[in-house]
Amino acid sequence: MIATSRPTIWEHAQSRGVSRRDCLSACAWMTAMLGLPATAVPEITKALETKPRLPVVWFHFQECTCCSESFIRSSHPAVADIILDKISLDYTETLQAAAGHQAEEALHETMTKYKGEYLMLVEGSIPTAANGVYCCIGGRTAQDIVQEAAAGAKAVIAWGSCACNGCVQAAKPNPTRATPLHKIISGVPIIKVPGCPPIAEVMTGTIVHLLAFDRVPQLDGLGRPKAFYSRRVHDTCYRRPNYDAGLFVNSFDDENAKRGYCLYKVGCRGPVTYNACGVMRWNGGVSFPIQSGHGCIGCSEANFWDNGPFYHHLPSFPGFGIETTADNIGLAVGAATVAGVAAHAVVTNIRKRHLIREEMKTSEDVKDGRAEQGGE
Amino acid sequence: MQSTSLGRVYVWEIPVRLYHWLNALCIVVLCITGYLIGQPLAIQQASEASFSYWFGWVRFIHFVAAYLFLFNFAFRIYWGFAGNKYAGWKNFIIYRRKQLKEIKDVLAVDILQADNKPIETIGHNAMAGFTYFLTFLAFLFQCLTGFGLYAAMSKSWFAQLFAWIVPLMGGDFAVRQWHHAFMWFFILFAIVHVYLVFYHDYVEGRGEISSMGGGWKFIDKEHHPVLKKQDSDKAGPASAANDI
């Protein structure tokens, strides 16, 4: 029986020559990454000791592989390494050695042998125009593959903005009708890990959570793990005090930019973007866009490509050409309204002049006691 | 329409007037602070963040005004059931043929000015009622989107009640954009509203402007059943001389 003879994560690590000390240290790293207290280390350790490796299939559809690139650059090399070890990555186009029929066979073996047990990771959006022919692997459309694989998956992780909201492929006019994962499949828990790419530690953290606790992490209204997406970049930004103080950069070459003021006025999307960039940062915690002097472009939010221009606080209003904001239109309509009202006032004095004159006359009559009725 | 035949009618009760002015104040404050939040002035230079908090205050005022606005709005809905017939909800829902006809009349007499016959409504005319119904929808929309955005930065359970609007509209960015665009509805409404109040007061001379201060309007007795009856009761030799 293969299922019972599957080595646990710890056994697998031993066979790879990992010492107990290294393994425990990795457990501590994972615990920290999940934001858990030190008291949870034994729990994580126990989970890794007793749980067999999680069979995983990782699909790549309409994407640029930046999610994979981000993932393999997890800050602590051991963590990425161990995670790649901890899971049994049975199918992934980018990293697997197998090709062609071999690869397809590996996929189908996992899907049949571990039905209901394997974890499905999806990178990229799924085209649905023209019956999905814009993305085919092994002669089958992405849509077809996803639906088949999702049916037997324990849980699905949508990696990156492509799988979560379509990203650049789904930007207007979206010629291939690129569709995010959650609109294709149903009936299986989907965890969205948006970002272009997502932060490596967020990706590994999400997997570790599934691995250690065997359940889907707490998700927000949009299906993203709360641990990483509950706060806006703005809320954890180190430049936030400048925002509250009203200290803003007006252009990228001004004195205020040099002083490191808030980038709100030059289009920073931090206030509307939910991500952990301000806390975890990138490249092993080195920096993140705002720290490097550039506003957030909101890459983990839906439609961020269509909400341009990136360097304006307000987006251009659809249908009015680039750089026409709601304020431009509002101001124009406001001016037109004032003009209309003024014209109406003039017309009133012309069209209603008899009426008004008559009333004035009546009023004079009343005062002078000349009215037909009353006026005693 | 002769001045001698006008009678006083108490139209806007105190709660309606209070609601109106509180609402006006909130809208002015919300528009100014909201616009500043969208397009902050860069008035400070060469300063440290720890020295000031003006943008924080602008936002704080916006949030406080928003709470006031919301509860004031909620109160007005309640008063639509508890208030007098001029405040009642029936004024805002256009469903009777008479109302439709009145809308047509208002368009002809006041807007296009093709006709000069007086329109003898005491409270809101049907056109105004319908417009206010649209503004109530806009109020609702601004409250939902505004508190939806606010939910992300608030721990209060009340703001969390609105959190669902964000995923529904596809994220904070879209919500913020709509919230901002709808501000212009209020500005345009205010321009037209203030103008029309002056217009009615000027053309009809029924005390349109002061009615929102004291509550009284001056109505042609011919068109008010009670006043008309009082008038005819008192009639006779003494005549109907109760000038205001």
Side-chain angles (χ1 to χ4, degrees), chain B residues 87-197:
Chain B
W89 62 272
K90 282 183 177 168
N91 289 291
F92 306 103
I93 315 282
I94 306 301
Y95 63 98
R96 284 160 293 183
R97 187 164 298 151
K98 203 174 140 228
Q99 290 170 306
L100 285 173
K101 192 188 165 292
E102 197 173 72
I103 288 186
K104 237 166 55 195
D105 287 348
V106 172
L107 284 175
V109 175
D110 292 325
I111 308 301
L112 302 173
Q113 309 201 334
D115 198 345
N116 264 348
K117 70 173 179 193
I119 294 170
E120 300 296 344
T121 41
I122 299 169
H124 300 300
N125 69 47
M127 185 71 207
F130 177 65
T131 310
Y132 295 140
F133 176 70
L134 293 184
T135 62
F136 289 153
L137 291 184
F139 289 3
L140 183 69
F141 184 81
Q142 284 304 69
C143 288
L144 290 177
T145 52
F147 278 91
L149 287 170
Y150 181 64
M153 47 192 120
S154 166
K155 281 210 171 81
S156 109
W157 61 270
F158 185 78
Q160 299 312 316
L161 295 177
F162 297 84
W164 55 272
I165 194 80
V166 174
L168 190 75
M169 291 180 72
D172 279 26
F173 199 97
V175 178
R176 184 175 82 179
Q177 190 178 356
W178 283 111
H179 190 70
H180 188 101
F182 261 70
M183 171 190 74
W184 284 100
F185 171 85
F186 288 80
I187 295 172
L188 299 182
F189 172 84
I191 295 171
V192 176
H193 177 71
V194 170
Y195 167 71
L196 282 179
V197 170

Side-chain angles (χ1 to χ4, degrees), chain A residues 243-245 250 261 264-265 269 274 307 313 315 327 333-334 341 344-345 347-349 351-352 359 372 376, chain B residues 2 37-38 40 42 44 47 52-56 59 109-111 113 152 172-173 176-177 180 184 195 202 238:
Chain A
Y243 170 84
D244 289 327
N250 283 312
Y261 287 171
Y264 184 74
K265 290 192 78 176
R269 303 287 192 253
Y274 292 77
N307 289 333
H313 172 68
D327 284 343
V333 178
V341 156
H344 193 267
V347 171
T348 299
N349 279 300
R351 301 279 301 181
K352 307 258 185 207
E359 279 177 16
E372 314 92 78
E376 285 179 53
Chain B
Q2 285 159 342
I37 291 168
Q44 293 213 75
S47 174
S52 58
Y53 193 69
W54 83 260
F55 199 58
R59 293 172 64 247
V109 175
D110 292 325
I111 308 301
Q113 309 201 334
D172 279 26
F173 199 97
R176 184 175 82 179
Q177 190 178 356
H180 188 101
W184 284 100
Y195 167 71
Y202 174 55

Side-chain angles (χ1 to χ4, degrees), chain A residues 110-274:
Chain A
T110 307
M111 277 167 41
T112 44
K113 211 196 283 176
Y114 303 118
K115 197 166 167 45
E117 281 178 58
Y118 63 87
L119 182 63
M120 172 176 161
L121 315 180
V122 177
E123 196 176 335
S125 55
I126 296 122
T128 54
N131 293 323
V133 294
Y134 293 107
C135 182
C136 290
I137 296 162
R140 294 172 64 203
T141 63
Q143 200 173 352
D144 197 17
I145 297 169
V146 155
Q147 272 159 353
E148 190 197 359
K154 184 182 195 172
V156 179
I157 299 182
W159 277 155
S161 290
C162 297
C164 294
N165 54 52
C167 201
V168 68
Q169 293 78 239
K172 285 184 189 97
N174 192 0
T176 64
R177 217 184 309 140
T179 310
L181 192 62
H182 65 273
K183 290 190 180 158
I184 303 275
I185 59 174
S186 57
V188 57
I190 302 174
I191 305 161
K192 291 190 206 161
V193 184
C196 190
I199 303 171
E201 288 74 22
V202 169
M203 300 175 81
T204 47
T206 305
I207 294 194
V208 167
H209 189 287
L210 281 164
L211 209 62
F213 299 109
D214 208 17
R215 61 165 181 264
V216 173
Q218 210 184 357
L219 305 178
D220 69 1
L222 285 168
R224 307 171 292 197
K226 272 190 175 171
F228 307 111
Y229 294 95
S230 63
R231 283 191 289 173
R232 301 171 302 163
V233 172
H234 191 54
D235 296 327
T236 53
C237 179
Y238 78 103
R239 296 194 186 201
R240 176 62 189 263
N242 293 294
Y243 170 84
D244 289 327
L247 298 170
F248 299 107
V249 171
N250 283 312
S251 69
F252 282 106
D253 56 356
D254 70 2
E255 182 66 22
N256 295 353
K258 255 188 226 170
R259 288 176 183 271
Y261 287 171
C262 175
L263 297 161
Y264 184 74
K265 290 192 78 176
V266 287
C268 181
R269 303 287 192 253
V272 288
T273 304
Y274 292 77

Side-chain angles (χ1 to χ4, degrees), chain B residues 10-20 71-92 124 136 212:
Chain B
Y10 190 57
V11 179
W12 312 126
E13 301 153 290
I14 287 176
V16 173
R17 274 135 60 203
L18 279 178
Y19 155 77
H20 175 270
F71 287 112
N72 195 36
F73 174 37
F75 169 78
R76 183 62 184 86
I77 293 172
Y78 160 74
W79 202 251
F81 297 92
N84 68 14
K85 65 177 171 180
Y86 306 114
W89 62 272
K90 282 183 177 168
N91 289 291
F92 306 103
H124 300 300
F136 289 153
M212 208 32 92

Side-chain angles (χ1 to χ4, degrees), chain A residues 7-20 23 53 85-86:
Chain A
T8 66
I9 296 166
W10 163 233
E11 281 163 2
H12 180 78
Q14 274 179 311
S15 74
R16 295 279 300 264
V18 177
S19 71
R20 175 141 187 96
C23 198
R53 294 162 77 217
D85 272 357
K86 288 325 136 218

